[in-house]
Amino acid sequence: MPPPRYEPGTIEPKWQEIWSRERTWEVANDPADAHGAEKSYVLEMLPYPSGEPHIGHLKNYALGDAIAHFHRRTGRHVLHPMGYDAFGLPAENHAIKTGVHPRKSTDESIAAFQQAFRSWGISIDWSRELATHEPEYYRWTQWIFLKLFERDLAYRKEAAVKWCPFDQTVLANEQVIDGRCERCGNEVEARQLEQWFFRITDYADRLLDELDHIEWPEHVKAMQRNWIGRSEGAEVVFRCEELNIDYPVFTTRPDTLFGATFFVMAPEHPDVFRLAQGRANEDEIHHYVNRSLTESLEERGAQDKPKTGVALGRTVTNPMTGEQIPMFVSDYVLMEYGTGAVMGVPAHDQRDYEFAQAFDLEIRQVVAPEEGELPEGQAFLAHTENERLINSGEFTGLPANEGMQAIVDWLDREGKGHASVSFRLRDWLVSRQRYWGCPIPIIYCEDCGMVPVPEADLPVRLPDVEDYQPKGKSPLAAAEDWVNVRCPNCRGRARRETDTMDTFVDSSWYFLRYCDARDDEAAWDRKIVDYWMQVDQYIGGVEHAILHLMYARFFVKALADMGLLGFQEPFRALFTQGMILGPDGQKMSKSRGNVISPTPIVERYGADAARCYILFIGPPDQDAAWSESSLNGVHTFLSRLWRLGDELGSSSDPPGAEQPESADADALAVIRKAHWAIEKVTDGLSRLTLNTAISAVMELRNEISRHPDADPAARRFATATAASLLFPFAPHIASEVYELLTGRRVWEEPWPDADPAMLQAETFELVCQVNGKVRDRVTAPTGAPRELLEQLALESRGVKAHLDGREVVKVVVVPDKLVNVVIR
RNA sequence: GCGGCGGUGAUGGAAUGGUAGACAUGGCGGCCUCAAAAGCCGCUGUCCCUCGGGGACGUGUGGGUUCGAAUCCCACCCGCCGUACCA
């Protein structure tokens, strides 16, 4: 008869069937149901269902599942839901190519994800499952849009926006990467279009400040801080006397105002043509502006691009010096930031310096270091307390930082400026000229203008269309029956908004819907949402550090301001997982041919081995290359554990794995190791160093095998403990082994407690150092007094050999650990 | 430029001021076998010596703090990520 083998193919479906039939992971919304237990909301970022799940999904959900299980077994009432971010461009582009309705391909992909999650044994509360393309969900996305509209947080305006010529849609700033479309990689163009925006800039300060109060990785907070880009400075007015117009500029260096020798406007500045009117070079100015507007963003923003521009033939007054300084138009000034115009201080700004060089303008030094030379051939940028103002009228001689304040005060008194703060963050452009998204619930009436769809009429359903091809306006515009409606106000003729929402709108509130997912009276019940939220542990890829995570924070703040939520931040703690790279250490991609698909891995080695391996491979926040041989090593470990369970379980009658009362040396070693492992795994799960948690279970299993003749009761206890500790990572085999040994269900058992008495043996190995170098190791009794340890060390062979008659200056004793003898 | 993170054996990594290299992969050797696979056991940082033992060196580089530093501090080098005519 062949020896019994570990067969995940049999074990895993067995347990999955039980969890599914008994709805083991469903939780009620009633806090009373928790019997006083603390709540915990563990959430992985919802997947975008396109094709089949990939290995990154397995990592994401293996991680989240380990945390969810750990929280459950440590007595918390755990919400762990799942859903799908189902609207979006890939499904629509697929539809354009094949004619298959995006709903069909999306639903097929969702089915593949559901199947995968079940075969991976992820502990999901399926009663809360949602998908953002279902009318039951997007009805409330539309409702939130209307709430934002009511508060003027959703608005329409014409602006220079980013347009992708390939996808034929506008994009949010955040979706433009290096001047290219995030989706298709084509160069993005600038276009002047009327679009829908969310007023996220109203929240810039709060989005920045409250980063200090959430447990997020430092680099993610840093990315958000950079993106928000708060700059303190002043707004200063430069007056064009000829035309009687005041032009404000924003500057972070008001201390350099005396050095402003010219003035530059962005090509998009609405006053450029007016200023150019009747000038000798009017044509040249028009030509320059038009070229700037049609230039791709990538070209315009190129790093080493020489400064270009055209003089406007007019002047403004420098408010400090009263001098008339020339005006220019140049594409290095951006309309979207500050006021669309800048003062040129060539001595103290590198870009202004380059511009002044190109146009032969005066470079006037107004800040100087207290000692040392000024840099040659470039602007002097430093701004510290070690500089003083020069050539600055009454302010000359002041330290730069004091001078800055004094100048701002002066401007304020004279009515020529004031302290000001500028943000890099722009409002969120949310409309898209595409089909597969949530319709914007607005109607345009010939008489009443823009009218919100009444709440009772929600959802505005996405109609079916024949042709998904984008033509510069939404494919929905072709659905005439749908577009033409009666005005909700006057019953007159009206047309629906045909743009759809950015899919990031859908995913900015899904975590709220999970709390009360089956509510068809409201988006959520505030009591229920306030109970479950915030998300206690959010897990996902770092690629969402800016977009999704910023938008979701904005939504929660806006909804809280409306009294709809009782908290300010959605995600109390965030964990960003690293990527799984191909076996070659490169990012997985079809073109490289290094893609590892989870399905065959799970079929061959089992979900437990795949999940364990992915968590064991290294710290989960780091990237890691796939290695089949390492995976095989994890599989070997699971096989050995299973064999131990099989061997010890069948010899146990009746089943049981209690810690034996008395034990010999062998048994004690095994029991001690079990308690040691409990502590290590608990710590690893708390700190999310899951790789070390799994290695602790491996060590425990090694120890059990190292003592084949120990009391079987002790070995059963230790093996059951190993299974119990492994459950968050490999739930199927853990359930199986635990059942073999005890007849009980491991997930119904409390998390084991380490007995402090078992964490220490009667003796320990005393490290004996001389001048910090290890010279010997001797056995010493645990808890021995310092004097004894000192004596043992001094008498040890290794220490004696190194004393060599030299003077002992000092002896440092670390109880239960080491002695360091310091000699001269 | 600015911001963030990191640099430890052949490889992935461990070590939260106290034995550097846990655990695993790979490699080498052995057991089992007619053989292979599987399984099991042992060794495996570098160098040196008088080799059943012992010593020196060793966590990117150079300093510092400390009885003791991979860990803390300073300077530098290298790498990765984000961001960038943001005034």
Side-chain angles (χ1 to χ4, degrees), chain A residues 374-576:
Chain A
L374 282 168
E376 286 282 323
Q378 57 177 25
F380 174 59
L381 305 173
H383 183 69
T384 68
E385 60 275 16
N386 300 322
E387 294 135 29
R388 288 184 185 276
L389 301 192
I390 57 171
N391 301 327
S392 298
E394 59 185 284
F395 302 97
T396 298
L398 287 175
N401 46 356
E402 278 176 43
M404 176 143 100
Q405 191 56 53
I407 289 173
V408 173
D409 290 345
W410 184 88
L411 288 166
D412 218 349
R413 279 199 304 277
E414 299 288 318
K416 291 177 176 172
H418 53 86
S420 171
V421 172
S422 199
F423 290 94
R424 214 193 75 119
L425 183 71
R426 315 279 153 74
D427 274 342
W428 174 12
L429 199 173
V430 295
S431 42
R432 298 288 182 273
Q433 292 71 53
R434 298 298 303 239
Y435 170 73
W436 189 233
C438 176
I440 292 173
I442 294 289
I443 288 168
Y444 299 97
C445 170
E446 286 171 10
D447 296 323
C448 312
M450 203 151 56
V451 181
V453 173
E455 268 183 42
D457 294 350
L458 297 181
V460 175
R461 282 174 187 272
L462 184 65
D464 287 333
V465 298
E466 296 291 317
D467 182 7
Y468 306 102
Q469 196 70 45
K471 299 175 182 70
K473 57 182 183 174
S474 168
L476 287 180
E480 283 292 325
D481 291 353
W482 179 83
V483 171
N484 293 308
V485 286
R486 293 271 156 204
C487 169
N489 272 351
C490 68
R491 312 307 303 163
R493 283 168 42 150
R495 293 176 65 80
R496 286 191 191 280
E497 168 66 67
T498 58
D499 282 359
T500 53
M501 291 183 223
D502 180 3
T503 52
F504 279 103
V505 179
D506 308 324
S507 56
S508 292
W509 73 282
Y510 76 102
F511 45 89
L512 302 172
R513 183 64 180 172
Y514 280 143
C515 299
D516 193 16
R518 295 291 167 261
D519 194 335
D520 48 21
E521 302 293 314
W524 58 78
D525 179 320
R526 177 166 165 182
K527 273 205 309 293
I528 295 171
V529 166
D530 283 354
Y531 169 68
W532 284 118
M533 289 292 288
Q534 308 159 304
V535 172
D536 294 277
Q537 183 66 64
Y538 199 32
I539 306 134
V542 72
E543 65 274 15
H544 293 109
I546 296 172
L547 292 159
H548 164 60
L549 290 169
M550 183 91 76
Y551 295 151
R553 294 181 63 218
F554 159 61
F555 259 47
V556 164
K557 289 180 194 308
L559 293 165
D561 286 353
M562 296 174 201
L564 297 167
L565 301 173
F567 46 90
Q568 288 291 326
E569 284 287 338
F571 314 121
R572 196 179 56 71
L574 172 71
F575 187 88
T576 50

Side-chain angles (χ1 to χ4, degrees), chain A residues 238 249 257-265 307 314-316 318 323-330 332-333 342-347 349-357 359-364:
Chain A
F238 286 69
V249 301
L257 256 164
F258 279 87
T261 54
F262 59 97
F263 186 95
V264 194
M265 285 177 139
K307 294 284 174 287
R314 297 190 187 269
T315 60
V316 287
N318 178 325
E323 287 168 296
Q324 293 302 303
I325 58 175
M327 299 179 84
F328 292 84
V329 56
S330 172
Y332 83 92
V333 178
V342 301
M343 63 179 194
V345 185
D349 181 283
Q350 189 59 31
R351 296 152 302 178
D352 296 345
Y353 178 85
E354 286 162 19
F355 191 80
Q357 292 276 301
F359 288 82
D360 200 21
L361 298 161
E362 186 193 350
I363 298 171
R364 186 189 301 160

Side-chain angles (χ1 to χ4, degrees), chain A residues 142-157:
Chain A
Q142 293 171 341
W143 178 80
I144 293 169
F145 183 97
L146 294 176
K147 288 282 155 196
L148 294 170
F149 182 70
E150 255 173 47
R151 296 222 152 199
D152 196 35
L153 290 170
Y155 67 97
R156 258 175 97 76
K157 79 162 180 202

Side-chain angles (χ1 to χ4, degrees), chain A residues 152-224:
Chain A
D152 196 35
L153 290 170
Y155 67 97
R156 258 175 97 76
K157 79 162 180 202
E158 191 185 293
V161 298
K162 277 133 192 170
W163 171 266
C164 172
F166 179 80
D167 286 327
Q168 297 270 305
T169 183
V170 296
L171 298 168
N173 287 311
E174 290 82 353
Q175 288 165 330
V176 179
I177 312 293
D178 293 333
R180 289 168 179 274
C181 172
E182 172 192 58
R183 284 282 170 212
C184 65
N186 278 273
E187 278 189 9
V188 168
E189 297 168 358
R191 285 207 182 176
Q192 200 69 20
L193 290 170
E194 189 171 292
Q195 295 290 328
W196 283 98
F197 291 86
F198 285 164
R199 216 177 286 280
I200 192 170
T201 51
D202 273 13
Y203 287 81
D205 261 320
R206 282 164 64 188
L207 288 168
L208 189 65
D209 293 344
E210 283 163 36
L211 283 173
D212 295 339
H213 310 302
I214 46 183
E215 283 175 46
W216 284 23
E218 204 43 56
H219 69 283
V220 176
K221 290 192 190 183
M223 281 162 80
Q224 292 217 348

